[in-house]
Amino acid sequence: MSSQKPHVLVVEDEPAQREVLVYNLTAEGFIVDKAASGDEALALVEEATPDLILLDWMLPGVSGIEICRQLKTRPATRQVPIIMMSARTEEVDRVRGLETGADDYVVKPYSVAELIARIRTQLRRTRPAAVGERLEHGDITLDAATHKVYRAGNELKLGPTEFRLLATFMERPGRVFSRDQLLDRVWGRDIYVDTRTVDVHVGRLRKALLRDGGEDPLRTVRGAGYALR
Ligand code: CA
């Protein structure tokens, strides 16, 4: 029940470097997947879209730069931040990395602390609730650091599932999430829950948000899912 945590995919062919990253990122509270080659990375991304990809430049087979180019042209992954990692230090390579669509670039040997700071910078843009930011939408405020929710200044009591649901909606106001997408993001992709459970929890969230009156901020889109107005 921790899928609110950001999901990072580490693509690195050097086993020692890969394991150091997996260890440190897991310790930082990320959900980490790993791949040792570009082909493996593409297959994993197909299965579940990560929130961010750490991508080694020099990989056996398909190069990191080619993987980056492919991911940045696919609609499903275009928005996923990619941080390239490379031993190359020449300025021309740095420019080439960014031209391929990489969002950031670190040169090996990098400091793990700095890399994590850069990951958080990217996620603050794309997954703000997951990195402890304060989100506001209309008269609703969600403080991800303290796990508190306010409507018109009054604190609301939400269960953990309702909190994660609201955070998901508030990260992408207006976007319609299907029940399956909500199951993936709020319950986690490895947990079997009936889609009707989503309706039950959205109902509870709506009730909590309407406790003191006001307009219903949640929109039910028939046949499609739910969205924040
Ligand atoms: Ca490598």
Side-chain angles (χ1 to χ4, degrees):
M1 301 292 265
S2 54
S3 64
Q4 204 60 44
K5 290 180 178 177
H7 169 197
V8 175
L9 173 62
V10 172
V11 190
E12 169 64 77
D13 60 313
E14 302 291 335
Q17 289 183 31
R18 187 171 63 239
E19 293 315 315
V20 164
L21 285 174
V22 170
Y23 175 85
N24 282 286
L25 293 175
T26 305
E28 280 293 313
F30 297 107
I31 293 172
V32 189
D33 263 347
K34 55 187 175 176
S37 72
D39 288 326
E40 201 185 326
L42 289 174
L44 281 173
V45 167
E46 197 85 8
E47 256 173 55
T49 310
D51 292 310
L52 183 139
I53 301 171
L54 284 181
L55 183 58
D56 186 26
W57 179 302
M58 297 292 277
L59 291 169
V62 193
S63 75
I65 210 98
E66 181 51 31
I67 299 292
C68 182
R69 198 183 324 241
Q70 287 190 28
L71 292 173
K72 286 296 184 183
T73 53
R74 296 182 184 181
T77 52
R78 198 167 15 201
Q79 310 293 337
V80 177
I82 296 179
I83 301 180
M84 298 280 307
M85 308 178 290
S86 166
R88 297 166 177 231
T89 53
E90 287 175 32
E91 195 64 24
V92 61
D93 285 333
R94 181 183 293 262
V95 169
R96 234 181 96 203
L98 295 173
E99 271 178 355
T100 336
D103 297 271
D104 201 357
Y105 186 103
V106 292
V107 174
K108 294 179 184 178
Y110 47 77
S111 116
V112 172
E114 192 203 331
L115 183 56
I116 287 169
R118 285 172 182 243
I119 291 173
R120 289 191 183 283
T121 300
Q122 294 297 327
L123 292 175
R124 218 166 278 137
R125 183 167 58 82
T126 56
R127 293 290 320 275
V131 287
E133 293 287 291
R134 192 179 173 93
L135 304 187
E136 293 190 16
H137 182 78
D139 59 357
I140 304 169
T141 303
L142 179 145
D143 189 328
T146 59
H147 264 249
K148 288 191 172 168
V149 174
Y150 304 87
R151 183 158 197 203
N154 300 316
E155 188 181 345
L156 303 180
K157 290 278 172 238
L158 296 187
T161 304
E162 287 71 36
F163 182 89
R164 289 199 299 273
L165 264 175
L166 182 61
T168 300
F169 287 128
M170 287 186 74
E171 282 184 337
R172 303 288 291 278
R175 172 178 162 171
V176 179
F177 288 95
S178 70
R179 288 169 178 81
D180 282 326
Q181 286 169 334
L182 290 171
L183 278 178
D184 276 358
R185 287 174 174 245
V186 175
W187 280 264
R189 60 203 155 105
D190 300 326
I191 291 168
Y192 178 76
V193 183
D194 194 271
T195 49
R196 295 188 61 126
T197 306
V198 176
D199 299 332
V200 170
H201 286 276
V202 169
R204 284 187 196 158
L205 172 60
R206 183 175 263 144
K207 194 175 164 202
L209 290 170
L210 293 173
R211 187 194 64 188
D212 301 327
E215 268 189 51
D216 185 353
L218 294 174
R219 196 158 67 92
T220 304
V221 184
R222 201 175 287 272
Y226 298 100
L228 193 64
R229 274 180 217 281

